Amino acid sequence: TWTASSRLHARALCLDRSGQRQAALEVWEQARLIAPPDFLPYIEADLEDTQIVIADAPLLQRMQEVFVSLFVSTQLSRAPLGTWGTCLLVVTLLAYLLHPDMTGFVSLNALQNGEYWRLLSHLFSHYDLAHLTLNMLVLAGLSGWVEAFYGWRILVIYFLSGIVAALVQVACTPLGYLVGASGGVLALYGARLASLLRIPYLNQGCQIKLMLGCLLVQCLADQLIPHVGAAAHLTGLVVGLGLGLLLPQKKGLLLG
């Protein structure tokens, strides 16, 4: 609803600033009917401002697209922990409470023995409480944005990336084993980066640079800290980024 009302509001604002007051009022009335309560003051404020700016049609269209993209970006940044993100968080916490002994690990030997279910179970198994806490904090911080943009497809990103990350890790370290949600969590990081690239008309350079800086720190930590699944981290990130660029956005999320 908020995206539809924002789109109408942007269209009305462009009409009004170009001198088409009556047409703008009709569109604003449509926006009023579906706008959430906290958005109505913005409509009223622009209704009272009668400033006219003459502009050609292409410029007005570009203005509307920028306004809508700005509303979408703002809403995504304020997105709370969603339903699917909450489910991932709760199930992972319960799995650790019930099986804190890493019984869900994945290894090359286990896969050769036909225990393919470990490609998923390792995402819910953690080395210790600190490992679990770190992964769940990052999951909680990223999943709201990603779920708001992709909807239920957050599960596709999380699990598919986690599976591929596990396969790559066991191939790189055939004598080791892998536990933890890091592959899926890094996939959400990649998906958020992809969503920034997909929001048109806005300069997302600052956010992208910040995210790339955090990734650099992650890569350095992977090299300095022993027994870290660096291959799984990198694979999850790359697969999440790829899926984020390919998967459709959430229905109703209007980006122009």
Side-chain angles (χ1 to χ4, degrees):
T1 299
W2 73 267
T3 50
S5 62
S6 298
R7 197 178 187 89
L8 289 171
H9 177 62
R11 179 183 173 193
L13 190 61
C14 291
L15 288 170
D16 188 54
R17 296 301 182 265
S18 65
Q20 304 176 63
R21 182 68 175 179
Q22 188 56 44
L25 291 174
E26 293 176 1
V27 177
W28 260 320
E29 187 58 35
Q30 298 175 40
R32 264 205 191 104
L33 295 176
I34 61 173
D38 59 346
F39 191 69
L40 290 175
Y42 296 101
I43 295 179
E44 300 301 330
D46 286 323
L47 271 168
E48 295 174 3
D49 185 357
T50 57
Q51 177 184 4
I52 295 178
V53 179
I54 301 301
D56 56 18
L59 179 57
L60 292 175
Q61 178 65 27
R62 180 63 178 271
M63 286 172 60
Q64 179 178 339
E65 290 165 344
V66 170
F67 288 150
V68 173
S69 295
L70 179 60
F71 289 136
V72 170
S73 180
T74 301
Q75 189 69 10
L76 288 172
S77 66
R78 297 176 179 175
L81 186 64
T83 301
W84 296 115
T86 302
C87 288
L88 290 174
L89 192 65
V90 171
V91 172
T92 306
L93 291 174
L94 288 176
Y96 181 79
L97 291 175
L98 295 174
H99 296 284
D101 51 355
M102 300 186 298
T103 54
F105 72 89
V106 61
S107 66
L108 182 60
N109 184 60
L111 294 179
Q112 290 173 339
N113 290 333
E115 299 175 8
Y116 302 115
W117 52 271
R118 293 184 180 275
L119 290 171
L120 286 177
S121 66
H122 81 279
L123 291 167
F124 302 101
S125 183
H126 287 80
Y127 181 74
D128 57 18
L129 186 58
H131 185 206
L132 172 73
T133 301
L134 179 59
N135 274 338
M136 293 305 97
L137 285 175
V138 180
L139 172 62
L142 290 172
S143 62
W145 174 297
V146 176
E147 186 171 339
F149 193 95
Y150 296 100
W152 62 268
R153 296 172 188 85
I154 184 178
L155 299 180
V156 177
I157 296 170
Y158 189 82
F159 287 116
L160 183 57
S161 300
I163 290 173
V164 176
L167 290 172
V168 171
Q169 184 64 57
V170 297
C172 293
T173 54
L175 299 180
Y177 62 89
L178 177 68
V179 291
S182 301
V185 169
L186 265 295
L188 299 186
Y189 199 93
R192 174 164 178 169
L193 184 59
S195 70
L196 286 173
L197 298 174
R198 292 177 60 175
I199 300 177
Y201 310 111
L202 289 181
N203 182 7
Q204 304 286 359
C206 291
Q207 288 194 55
I208 292 175
K209 288 178 181 177
L210 177 61
M211 294 189 71
L212 291 177
C214 292
L215 287 177
L216 178 60
V217 173
Q218 176 69 53
C219 291
L220 290 175
D222 287 348
Q223 298 304 314
L224 296 175
I225 302 174
H227 309 300
V228 171
H233 290 174
L234 181 59
T235 303
L237 172 68
V238 172
V239 176
L241 177 63
L243 289 174
L245 292 173
L246 294 175
L247 289 173
Q249 65 198 38
K250 182 179 179 180
K251 185 176 181 182
L253 187 66
L254 305 176
L255 295 181

